[in-house]
Amino acid sequence: MRKWSLILAFVFLTSLLFSQEKFSGGVYVSPQISWFKPDNKQVQKEKGRMSFGFGLTSDIALTNAFSLNLGLGFNNAGGSLKYLDSIPKIETVDSTYTNIKANTVLKYKLQYIELPISIKGKTKEIGYISYFLKFGISPLIRYKARADVTVDSNDDLKNEVRAVSFAYHIGGGITYSLKGDTKLLIEAVFKNGLSDIEKIENYKNKDYKNILNILEIRAGIVF
């Protein structure tokens, strides 16, 4: 319900803005791959996760070449981590696992609501195509967090995954004019985590960070 409330609020606000010449926006879908990057030797990255996301995007023109790009995205992310040391406790919504043996692999299945903000630079149309680059910050709000603590257990891990995390993103792509103000959007966006996404502690190393990286290929329509 929270997800759809945010989407409806975003659509309402941007629809008001679109009545002005300086604003444009649209929708996209995004095949994506995500993976973890631990910063210590006691935790190892295993497999990544391939999934799909979708979202809304809008541009507020600052000059002819630059705009403020705002969005609302829904990401399915995750991946697998191997904990080389034992874990004293993992708290799920329904139960608590204790004394988890070393070399346990947790397969995370995460869903985030993203509120990205970036500065976007674009070229004039060359033929029907305009090229752009952007850079910014992506706050990620946890919507769902599940993991297989045991084989296919699909545990609700909200207690062990942080409610909010942050990443920076860089992206680039093209818009292709179709008719009038309607354009086809194709872009690639890479997000590199800035903050720890989980709170699980092992016995020997309680001060480490697991960040989440996401690579998206977006296709959509802007107007």
Side-chain angles (χ1 to χ4, degrees):
M1 181 62 70
R2 288 182 300 169
K3 175 181 67 176
W4 295 112
S5 297
L6 284 169
I7 291 174
L8 290 173
F10 186 87
V11 170
F12 175 73
L13 290 174
T14 52
S15 66
L16 295 178
L17 297 177
F18 292 159
S19 62
Q20 308 296 322
E21 291 184 357
K22 291 186 176 182
F23 300 94
S24 62
V27 297
Y28 66 84
V29 294
S30 58
Q32 55 190 240
I33 182 170
S34 54
W35 65 94
F36 291 111
K37 186 180 177 182
D39 68 353
N40 81 98
K41 295 181 180 180
Q42 296 300 319
V43 182
Q44 290 183 351
K45 177 186 72 174
E46 291 284 302
K47 296 180 180 179
R49 185 186 184 199
M50 297 188 68
S51 56
F52 284 86
F54 60 90
L56 306 171
T57 183
S58 66
D59 286 334
I60 304 172
L62 303 176
T63 68
N64 289 335
F66 291 93
S67 61
L68 181 65
N69 180 247
L70 304 174
L72 173 63
F74 184 74
N75 294 311
N76 287 289
S80 299
L81 286 171
K82 184 177 183 178
Y83 295 81
L84 301 183
D85 192 21
S86 54
I87 302 172
K89 181 175 64 173
I90 294 179
E91 292 187 6
T92 73
V93 170
D94 300 315
S95 61
T96 299
Y97 294 90
T98 58
N99 298 317
I100 299 165
K101 64 182 181 179
N103 296 316
T104 291
V105 175
L106 266 62
K107 181 180 178 182
Y108 289 87
K109 293 160 282 186
L110 310 174
Q111 293 181 343
Y112 285 102
I113 294 171
E114 179 187 4
L115 301 171
I117 179 170
S118 56
I119 295 296
K120 180 178 178 180
K122 65 178 181 178
T123 67
K124 293 181 179 179
E125 283 193 4
I126 304 171
Y128 292 99
I129 297 175
S130 177
Y131 300 87
F132 66 86
L133 293 172
K134 65 181 183 182
F135 175 82
I137 296 294
S138 292
L140 297 167
I141 302 168
R142 183 202 68 218
Y143 180 66
K144 288 185 179 181
R146 292 191 172 272
D148 295 332
V149 180
T150 58
V151 178
D152 296 327
S153 57
N154 198 33
D155 298 292
D156 191 335
L157 224 63
K158 284 185 179 180
N159 295 333
E160 299 288 5
V161 175
R162 299 183 189 278
V164 179
S165 59
F166 294 88
Y168 73 82
H169 65 259
I170 55 175
I174 64 169
T175 55
Y176 182 89
S177 291
L178 298 174
K179 186 176 181 181
D181 293 329
T182 304
K183 299 177 181 180
L184 175 68
L185 168 70
I186 302 291
E187 71 172 313
V189 180
F190 172 69
K191 302 167 198 170
N192 189 88
L194 295 172
S195 58
D196 196 357
I197 66 100
E198 51 100 331
K199 300 181 284 185
I200 294 173
E201 296 179 348
N202 59 27
Y203 282 116
K204 293 180 181 178
N205 192 331
K206 294 187 178 182
D207 185 19
Y208 63 85
K209 181 166 65 175
N210 290 321
I211 64 173
L212 179 65
N213 292 338
I214 302 172
L215 176 63
E216 293 184 56
I217 304 298
R218 296 178 177 176
I221 297 291
V222 294
F223 47 89

